[in-house]
Amino acid sequence: GGGVMGDIMPRCLPPRDAARYVGISETAFRAIVAKAVRPVYMSPKRPVWLRDQLDEWINQRAGIDASSASDDLMDAISSS
């Protein structure tokens, strides 16, 4: 579709975009992520997922603690 949003990164992602964001198929998204991350309903029957909640879920799967992730990044930057 045409990008009405332009350069704005939408914070709320419909299932198709949320699946693409996580990097899996929409079917896998519905089976795995949608069960773990609660959608937000902007209107009835139109669930969207918040980008930061998806990030959190990805971090958990990757074994990254939200608080330590930024510390590790700073360590990596300062030690290089």
Side-chain angles (χ1 to χ4, degrees):
V4 177
M5 301 297 282
D7 294 334
I8 298 170
M9 290 282 274
R11 182 156 181 243
C12 302
L13 303 169
R16 192 182 59 179
D17 293 343
R20 260 205 343 246
Y21 181 71
V22 176
I24 56 179
S25 71
E26 194 175 336
T27 309
F29 181 85
R30 290 181 186 280
I32 302 164
V33 187
K35 291 195 171 100
V37 183
R38 284 177 175 273
V40 174
Y41 284 87
M42 293 299 176
S43 65
K45 298 183 183 171
R46 295 218 39 197
V48 294
W49 279 264
L50 298 181
R51 185 183 295 278
D52 39 5
Q53 289 192 338
L54 293 175
D55 287 341
E56 234 171 79
W57 180 83
I58 293 167
N59 288 346
Q60 284 171 358
R61 297 287 287 213
I64 301 168
D65 183 32
S67 55
S68 68
S70 53
D71 295 344
D72 293 346
L73 185 62
M74 293 315 290
D75 291 347
I77 293 169
S78 58
S79 65
S80 57

